[in-house]
């Protein structure tokens, strides 16, 4: 299989992975079929081998002995070798191989086989295999083996991600409960306090009205802090579903939301990558809000795509040294980082990215480890 074919098949899997209309089971079913088509074999299935069983949980066949739901004694399968050795097993002609006396061959009479182990969260989950009633005309190539390994990694990742999302759903339910408590226990009395202060404000004149205005400003700030705290709690978890986003579209949407009157935005080297769009936009919004509140007038903000991710730089006075030194470094004691920048940290860590900040005639935030489609293809298939 040439590099062009490799990229095409892997892109099929990638596009399948980001298809939000399909369940994880439907995606795996289609991935199994993609593998059978690529190898030119009639049988293909994914097995689960936990709990001392061998169960086919996804299959190209809709009926017969290799259909979904079939259960076997693992000792009667070729897959037991794959599971025990944790390696790819490829036999183009079983009857003319060292496996001609294997119990799996005697029981199934499958004449060719290729299979690989599935790992989920670092533990053995089962196997993915393809087979035929007839010997294969040619030996399985290294490309064939590599492609099956790719499929197993892809399927293992999809199963891991599905488990992860289910965990996130449960966590989000708890966060929603927390949000409700916070809203009731803090925002309700805060609203009452604001009402009484506004009532008295209308009844007095200077200098008392000035004191009350300061109190109202403080209440506004408390309201904003509650909102930021809720956001921070939510950003503390790993991100869920990711989608293809463009640097330009997300940063410009955030800029429009914040609308800093003291600055202008420039986007250079636009890139596409995988991210949670809403959280990424929140990252930009907090960085832009920081510019609006602390950078003075006539500031230029430049968002630039890089080989490893992107940067956000401004030509303002620069972030204070105490903040710059402790940002993205949770080991620093007595950190002086505001809630807005803490949210930026959470968005970065939730995506599994790396963040850094440099101050030199302005401030530059750099984000690396950002996954792109091209990165994924090159890494997984070594094109």
């Amino acid at each position: 299989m040439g590099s062009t074919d490799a990229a095409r098949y892997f892109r099929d899997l990638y596009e399948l992975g980001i298809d939000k209309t399909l369940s994880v089971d439907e995606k795996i079913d289609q991935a199994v079929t993609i593998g059978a088509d690529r190898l030119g074999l009639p049988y293909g299935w994914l097995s689960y081998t936990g709990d001392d069983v061998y169960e086919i949980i996804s299959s190209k066949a809709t009926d017969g002995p290799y259909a979904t739901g079939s259960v076997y004694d693992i000792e009667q399968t070729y897959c037991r070798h794959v599971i025990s050795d944790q390696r790819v097993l490829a036999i183009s002609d079983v009857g003319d191989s060292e496996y001609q006396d294997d119990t799996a061959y005697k029981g199934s009479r499958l004449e060719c086989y290729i299979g690989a182990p599935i790992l989920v969260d670092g533990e053995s989950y089962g196997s993915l295999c393809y087979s035929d009633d007839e010997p294969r005309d040619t030996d399985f190539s290294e490309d064939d083996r590599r492609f099956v390994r790719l499929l197993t990694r892809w399927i293992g990742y999809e199963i891991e991600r599905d488990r992860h999302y289910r965990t996130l759903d449960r966590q989000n339910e708890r966060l929603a409960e927390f949000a409700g408590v916070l809203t009731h226990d803090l925002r309700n009395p805060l609203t009452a306090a604001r009402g009484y202060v506004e009532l008295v404000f209308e009844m007095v004149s200077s200098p008392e009205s000035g004191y009350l205005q300061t109190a109202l400003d403080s209440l506004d700030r408390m309201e904003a802090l509650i909102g930021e705290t809720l956001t921070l709690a939510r950003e503390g978890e790993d991100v869920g579903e990711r989608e293809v986003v463009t640097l330009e579209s997300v940063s410009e949407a955030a800029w429009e939301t914040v609308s800093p009157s003291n600055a202008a935005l420039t986007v250079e080297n636009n890139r596409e990558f995988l991210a949670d769009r809403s959280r990424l936009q929140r990252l930009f919004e907090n960085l832009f809000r920081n510019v609006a509140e602390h950078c003075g007038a006539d500031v230029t903000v430049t968002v630039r795509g890089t080989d490893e991710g992107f940067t956000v730089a401004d030509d303002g006075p620069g972030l204070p040294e105490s903040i710059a030194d402790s940002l993205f470094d949770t080991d620093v004691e007595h950190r002086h980082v505001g809630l807005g920048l803490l949210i930026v940290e959470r968005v970065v860590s939730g995506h599994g990215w790396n963040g850094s900040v440099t101050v030199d005639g302005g401030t530059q935030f750099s984000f690396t480890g950002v996954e792109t489609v091209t990165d994924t293809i090159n890494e997984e298939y070594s094109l």
Side-chain angles (χ1 to χ4, degrees):
M1 180 170 59
S3 61
T4 301
D5 289 337
R8 176 167 58 84
Y9 278 107
F10 194 80
R11 184 171 293 275
D12 287 344
L13 290 176
Y14 165 74
E15 292 176 352
L16 183 61
I18 64 174
D19 189 340
K20 297 182 180 180
T21 66
L22 300 176
S23 68
V24 65
D25 292 336
E26 291 170 329
K27 291 179 180 181
I28 290 175
D29 286 344
Q30 291 193 27
V32 171
T33 300
I34 287 173
D37 292 343
R38 158 66 182 85
L39 296 167
L41 297 175
Y43 306 130
W45 65 85
L46 170 68
S47 71
Y48 171 71
T49 58
D51 304 321
D52 298 322
V53 301
Y54 181 92
E55 180 181 2
I56 296 177
I57 61 173
S58 177
S59 176
K60 184 182 178 185
T62 57
D63 54 28
Y66 308 112
T68 300
S70 301
V71 178
Y72 293 93
D73 178 356
I74 192 171
E75 295 302 319
Q76 304 299 314
T77 69
Y78 295 113
C79 291
R80 75 184 191 278
H81 302 296
V82 169
I83 299 300
S84 62
D85 297 340
Q86 287 295 296
R87 63 179 178 87
V88 176
L89 175 63
I91 318 167
S92 58
D93 185 351
V94 181
D96 188 27
S97 74
E98 61 181 296
Y99 294 92
Q100 60 183 304
D101 295 323
D102 195 276
T103 56
Y105 181 55
K106 294 178 179 179
S108 68
R109 304 307 296 183
L110 291 172
E111 297 288 349
C112 78
Y113 170 93
I114 183 169
I118 299 280
L119 294 178
V120 175
D121 293 325
E123 298 182 356
S124 179
Y125 176 88
S127 63
L128 173 68
C129 61
Y130 296 94
S131 193
D132 194 354
D133 296 320
E134 301 294 332
R136 206 164 187 256
D137 294 336
T138 58
D139 290 338
F140 288 105
S141 66
E142 182 55 36
D143 276 342
D144 294 330
R145 295 168 180 265
R146 185 179 298 173
F147 183 71
V148 173
R149 285 197 296 268
L150 281 173
L151 281 172
T152 60
R153 286 200 288 268
W154 186 94
I155 291 172
Y157 169 74
E158 286 295 321
I159 295 173
E160 285 180 1
R161 187 167 65 166
D162 184 59
R163 287 182 177 180
H164 180 63
Y165 289 164
R166 293 176 188 274
T167 300
L168 282 177
D169 287 341
R170 291 192 294 268
Q171 292 172 339
N172 287 338
E173 289 175 1
R174 292 194 292 269
L175 282 170
E177 181 181 2
F178 165 73
V181 171
L182 190 64
T183 297
H184 181 272
D185 289 357
L186 292 181
R187 281 185 167 155
N188 285 359
L190 190 64
T191 299
R194 163 172 274 285
Y196 283 114
V197 172
E198 288 178 342
L199 178 63
V200 177
F201 180 82
E202 298 295 333
M203 300 168 59
V204 300
S205 58
S206 182
E208 288 81 0
S209 60
Y211 305 148
L212 292 175
Q213 184 59 59
T214 300
L216 288 171
D217 292 342
S218 297
L219 291 172
D220 287 342
R221 181 55 182 156
M222 290 174 65
E223 175 73 19
L225 287 171
I226 291 172
E228 290 174 358
T229 301
L230 284 172
T231 301
L232 183 62
R234 295 188 180 103
E235 303 310 328
E237 306 297 341
D238 290 348
V239 303
E241 188 72 36
R242 304 185 191 202
E243 60 183 299
V244 177
V245 301
T246 64
L247 190 62
E248 183 178 52
S249 65
V250 179
S251 59
E252 288 183 348
W255 189 265
E256 184 176 349
T257 298
V258 178
S259 297
S261 60
N262 62 327
L265 174 68
T266 299
V267 181
E268 300 177 354
N269 193 23
N270 189 29
R271 297 189 67 210
E272 282 190 341
F273 50 87
L274 297 174
D276 181 308
R277 179 181 294 275
S278 64
R279 292 198 186 189
L280 179 59
Q281 181 169 329
R282 197 140 49 232
L283 176 148
F284 282 117
E285 287 174 3
N286 280 281
L287 292 180
F288 297 159
R289 194 170 288 114
N290 208 53
V291 169
E293 295 175 356
H294 303 292
C295 284
D298 299 324
V299 179
T300 298
V301 177
T302 303
V303 176
R304 179 182 294 108
T306 66
D307 290 340
E308 296 183 332
F310 60 96
T311 62
V312 181
D314 66 67
D315 55 3
L319 204 64
E321 183 177 344
S322 60
I323 297 177
D325 289 344
S326 61
L327 195 59
F328 304 112
D329 186 355
T330 56
D331 292 332
V332 175
E333 295 185 3
H334 310 298
R335 297 205 303 157
H336 302 284
V337 179
L339 282 174
L341 291 178
L342 280 176
I343 291 172
V344 171
E345 280 190 339
R346 296 302 188 271
V347 174
V348 172
S349 62
H351 279 86
W353 300 341
N354 300 309
S356 62
V357 59
T358 56
V359 180
D360 183 12
T363 303
Q364 175 170 297
F365 294 85
S366 300
F367 305 100
T368 60
V370 181
E371 182 183 13
T372 68
V373 179
T374 304
D375 293 335
T376 304
I377 293 174
N378 290 343
E379 177 183 351
E380 292 294 336
Y381 209 83
S382 301
L383 295 177

